[in-house]
Amino acid sequence: MSQADSAPNDAPPVLEGVRVIERALATLPLSPGVYRMLDARGDALYVGKARALKKRVVAYTQIARLPERLRRMVHETRSLEVITTASEAEALLLEANLIKKLRPRYNIVLRDDKSYPWLVLTEDHPYPQITKHRGERRKGASYWGPFASAWAVNQTLTALQRVFLLRSCRDTVFDSRDRPCLLFQIRRCSAPCVDRISKEDYAELVRDAKQFLSGETPSIQKTLAREMEEAAEALEFERAAAIRDRIRGLTHIQGRDRINMEGIGDADVVALHQLAGQTCVQVFFFRGGRNNGNRPYFLSKGDQGPEEVMGAFLAQLYDDLPPPPLVLLSHEPEERGLIAEALSIKANRKVELHRPQRGDKRAAVEHAETNAREALERRMAEGTAQQTLLQGVATLFDLPAMPERIEVYDNSHIQGANAYGVMVAAGPSGFLKQAYRKFSIRGPVKPGDDFGMMREVFERRFGRALKEDPERESGTWPDLVLIDGGLGQLNAAREIMAELGAHDIPLVAVAKGPDRDAGREWFHRTGHAPFQLPPRDPVLYYLQRLRDEAHRFAITTHRAGRSKALTRSELDDIPGVGSALKRKLLNHFGSARGVRNAALEDLANAPGIGPAVARKIHDHFHPGNS
């Protein structure tokens, strides 16, 4: 990696950026790689890739030929860094990774913080479990996906339970059952936990499920139809009815898709629509010939055409997703061959990028384009309404301009236990869920001490902001802070903010009305008399939504923390004993008490433990017996 130092401060701004780049050119290689333009603070302005770094970067010194967006970028550039790669395809993959990580201001950035859900079949158990999964993959399991949303994976999981009767319960629940659960009664599980099905028959169900998830639906339907006829001929009508219900479930899954992708196993359909400087990209995920749902992506504004946007989007989309063998596109991306080569390297097999012109594939792309257009039109309409509401908020609270970021704070606890404070954020685009924050209260909280909780939350939130962004240039400082409470909470918050040096941020306390009635809230501001808004005022509804979202987030955060505390085991305190070992110990000994009372020899003989770990566990519970 190499870096050019800042140019002299007395140069005109644009020339200063050009001189930085010219000085870097002297040491730049002709090899492929990635370059980063940095501002005076060292933050990334732009990330680009090149087949020959020197030839590509020299173009930024020719200011007259650059579009206005890149002229502004050069204007702010104060240093440059490069990373060389073995090929241009590797440079493209690295560029996409850095753009998603650094989010440079002048790049097309895919802002998507959500992970993708998958279906997982655990195969390290005699009776495999099928469930949904997010996060890192683990050994001993098979994965299918991705799915566009939790709703899509839940629909498929429910259908699979109806058709293949596979268990969805955790291993600990499975091992503790002595009678079938409700899922067996409603014909969504075969109850292997109580031996209602043999290991061989369950293994056959698992094989059928794998075939289905791999796209081999017709052969499964034929097999089930034959079994139903045989059961009916043998006068086993109850068994025939159960198989009939499984066939109906399979037919229901096949009938859900509006897009006909017959003959295509795994593919993604990617279509974009641009309007008024904004872009929406719709992605439909098809796996095994089935529609795993679709997801819209709204990209940052810019003057780039659809071909450039499509190329940048594909590279970033598949930065953390395995690309399928076929990607159907609405627009031909710039450098299609290079992108296909890079994705093929990532997937370790050929990946084809195709823009169909006719037939079912073209119909699928047109359907995705329609979804992209409609999603963008809805977003723009919602954005217009949102801006009107924000203008109303600015007028109501005498703000100097429409707020770009409103933060709302709330807390939740039960007599001081499992105390959490939360912050939700909203702006012109709606709720900013990637900016939500949870604060597990670290200090002791007395029952009812909301002031103490608020002090800790504000000190952590704004103390960190003052440390990381004292100039308030990152866009993460609020233009308005709402707190749930009355005059007492407002005065306490004002005192805390004054101590932190953030006294200029407008504070408003929202107090519940008489009998806690929605619509009769009182608003408290420093130096103003409390007031209420007319019950049908749109701004009142908007402020209620903000407060209710903070309350919802506080309650769910508290419940999750309380559930975690309730399920916490004394095994969690043993150094070096993770979730996998904990599960083995509980499965073998039945409970944490059983582990604590076990002899050293019994611990060593437990499956997957061994003498060294057994000694560590035994010493933890019996420190004086070593």
Side-chain angles (χ1 to χ4, degrees), residues 169-335:
C169 58
R170 296 190 301 273
D171 291 350
T172 51
V173 175
F174 178 90
D175 294 334
S176 63
R177 296 295 305 182
D178 55 11
R179 60 179 180 176
C181 66
L182 179 62
L183 289 178
F184 174 76
Q185 306 297 335
I186 61 175
R187 295 181 178 177
R188 282 175 52 181
C189 181
S190 53
C193 54
V194 290
D195 299 325
R196 293 297 179 95
I197 185 173
S198 68
K199 187 178 294 186
E200 293 74 19
D201 289 343
Y202 192 86
E204 187 174 343
L205 292 177
V206 171
R207 283 194 297 271
D208 289 344
K210 285 183 176 180
Q211 284 184 329
F212 170 78
L213 290 168
S214 300
E216 301 177 28
T217 307
S219 61
I220 298 172
Q221 273 188 310
K222 290 178 181 177
T223 302
L224 289 174
R226 185 176 64 254
E227 290 179 4
M228 182 178 68
E229 291 175 1
E230 291 173 355
E233 289 175 1
L235 305 181
E236 297 176 0
F237 298 117
E238 187 173 345
R239 177 168 170 262
I243 297 173
R244 177 203 62 201
D245 292 342
R246 293 175 63 191
I247 294 173
R248 285 178 178 174
L250 201 58
T251 305
H252 174 71
I253 298 173
Q254 292 175 292
R256 279 206 321 245
D257 297 343
R258 292 179 56 190
I259 306 176
N260 181 16
M261 295 289 281
E262 187 176 352
I264 296 178
D266 297 346
D268 288 343
V269 181
V270 184
L272 69 80
H273 183 77
Q274 292 185 315
L275 183 64
Q278 299 190 46
T279 302
C280 175
V281 184
Q282 277 278 358
V283 181
F284 282 75
F285 300 96
F286 287 87
R287 297 296 182 269
R290 291 177 315 282
N291 185 354
N292 281 359
N294 61 295
R295 181 184 289 191
Y297 301 84
F298 299 96
L299 304 184
S300 53
K301 297 178 182 179
D303 55 1
Q304 300 90 339
E307 293 78 13
E308 183 180 355
V309 172
M310 181 64 81
F313 175 82
L314 290 174
Q316 294 178 54
L317 175 67
Y318 296 115
D319 177 56
D320 54 2
L321 275 182
L326 176 64
V327 182
L328 302 177
L329 306 171
S330 63
H331 295 79
E332 191 87 10
E334 291 185 352
E335 301 180 307

Side-chain angles (χ1 to χ4, degrees), residues 345-400:
I345 292 173
K346 183 176 177 65
N348 290 318
R349 53 169 165 68
K350 183 180 179 182
V351 175
E352 180 186 358
L353 305 181
H354 178 53
R355 186 188 178 201
Q357 302 298 320
R358 60 185 67 86
D360 292 339
K361 294 178 182 177
R362 180 59 198 167
V365 171
E366 289 176 348
H367 180 73
E369 281 185 291
T370 300
N371 276 264
R373 175 178 54 78
E374 292 175 350
L376 185 56
E377 289 173 350
R378 283 194 303 271
R379 184 180 178 92
M380 293 183 71
E382 291 168 1
T384 301
Q386 187 86 350
Q387 288 187 353
T388 302
L389 291 171
L390 290 172
Q391 289 288 4
V393 171
T395 302
L396 180 65
F397 298 129
D398 300 319
L399 303 180

Side-chain angles (χ1 to χ4, degrees), residues 86 108 137 196 230 235 240 313 372 375 381 470 493 499 540 586:
I108 299 169
R137 300 188 181 190
R196 293 297 179 95
E230 291 173 355
L235 305 181
F313 175 82
E499 292 175 7
L540 174 61
L586 291 173

Side-chain angles (χ1 to χ4, degrees), residues 570-571 589 591-599 603 617-618 621-622:
E570 53 189 320
L571 301 182
F589 293 102
S591 67
R593 178 184 295 179
V595 178
R596 184 177 67 243
N597 295 334
L603 289 168
I617 297 169
H618 190 268
F621 289 118
H622 311 281

Side-chain angles (χ1 to χ4, degrees), residues 380-434:
M380 293 183 71
E382 291 168 1
T384 301
Q386 187 86 350
Q387 288 187 353
T388 302
L389 291 171
L390 290 172
Q391 289 288 4
V393 171
T395 302
L396 180 65
F397 298 129
D398 300 319
L399 303 180
M402 183 185 78
E404 294 292 327
R405 181 182 174 109
I406 299 174
E407 292 184 358
V408 192
Y409 291 84
D410 197 1
N411 56 59
S412 182
H413 62 94
I414 296 179
Q415 295 185 339
N418 306 120
Y420 284 88
V422 301
M423 179 266 285
V424 304
S429 60
F431 287 110
L432 309 174
K433 296 202 172 183
Q434 73 276 12

